[in-house]
Amino acid sequence: MNNHEHDVLTLMSYLSSSESDDDELINYIIKQPVIRPKISNFISNVVHSYSDKQFKGSFRMERATAYYLIKTFEDSSFFPQQHKYEPGKTSENYILSYIWFSANKSCLRDVAERFGNGLTTQFRINDRVMNFLIDISPKVINFDEGITNLAREFKKVSGMPHVIGCIDGTSIPIRTPAHKIKSTYTNRHDMPSITLQGVCDYKKKFIDVFTGIPAKIHDARVFVLSDLSKDLPSMCEKKYNLLGDGAYPIREWLLVPYKDYGRLTESQKTFNKTLSSTRVLIENTFGLLKSRFRQLLQLDIHSVDKITKFIISSCVLHNLCIDMDDHIELRDEENEELLNGPDDTVFETDMLLKKNGETKRDAIKNSMQYQ
């Protein structure tokens, strides 16, 4: 075997894990020109020249937030070491190209050409950055602020006692995943989509997220499938609770509005109004998430695993922006409709839980009336 054949074999074994553009690597070995027009030095010639306002308009986040991410990513194990066959992509290229893809309705090819990457390289860049964000997600999305503090701050916002968060689900439109049946993922509007269940705090920051379930499944069932439904009873200790809408079953640790059959008392109407004005925080949180990361308006990814990774990664970026006081205005968008109406079916095994929740709701309603 001559040196040329040895180099070719070495290259082929390396391609499966390389972060480099395949065509550039092949050209490096066999010395044949590959013509693939790309934008040259987009970051240095264009992005570095952006004003702060222009930067936020393009990337949907402040420059300081983006470069904090760049430094954090560069210091992590997810930033690849340089390889002798690899032209070398900076951590700046990794993060900025991924944020551009997330924040704009751009296809992967457009992002790759804009940032001077090969299409295969950009695919791998996105994978590495998503894996990095998933890795830090437990440090960014959690209840670490403390149940007592969450309840105290919610009381300042809404006047409702013992609230630690607001829960709801939102639909993320997707393409039918590869090797999947479309009807498995279609909602009642006959659109393939996946549900993102989120719990937000008083700052519109996610403290729990759960996704990957087809949107045709009712929100109450999605909640049952999540780990949160198992953790809440012990976490709330029969004192604290989340606020949800009518799609969820009432529990001691999950309060929902009174059903309106035309016979509500004034105190019940007041309770419903206060609950709804507080619970709107989670709807605003979803609106901010989709307004900042517009790829979520129609997610064009083929793998269910990568779809869920991208959604969770967007929630991580959302929280990091809030932590750095990087805010964005919520544009007027159509209100999200519930994918399914409230489910009034109650199994006998749930009757006690329901009764306890109703008792607690009545007690809070009465205390609010006296206040």
Side-chain angles (χ1 to χ4, degrees), residues 150-213:
L150 287 171
R152 181 172 58 250
E153 295 300 326
F154 259 109
K155 181 72 179 296
K156 295 177 183 178
V157 171
S158 66
M160 291 195 72
H162 310 313
V163 176
I164 61 173
C166 302
I167 185 171
D168 202 359
T170 187
S171 179
I172 307 293
I174 62 171
R175 291 184 61 176
T176 302
H179 313 299
K180 302 291 184 180
I181 301 173
K182 180 179 179 181
S183 60
T184 304
Y185 288 87
T186 52
N187 58 21
R188 64 174 180 155
H189 302 294
D190 199 35
M191 294 180 59
S193 52
I194 276 181
T195 295
L196 166 62
Q197 175 185 279
V199 179
C200 76
D201 66 7
Y202 57 96
K203 295 182 293 186
K204 302 176 186 176
K205 179 179 173 181
F206 288 108
I207 53 179
D208 186 86
V209 292
F210 175 69
T211 190
I213 305 298

Side-chain angles (χ1 to χ4, degrees), residues 280-303:
V280 76
L281 286 172
I282 184 61
E283 296 177 358
N284 291 340
T285 302
F286 286 140
L288 290 170
L289 178 73
K290 293 181 179 181
S291 180
R292 192 188 294 270
F293 303 110
R294 286 173 284 192
Q295 197 69 234
L296 293 172
L297 297 176
Q298 179 64 56
L299 195 50
D300 192 15
I301 299 177
H302 294 279
S303 163

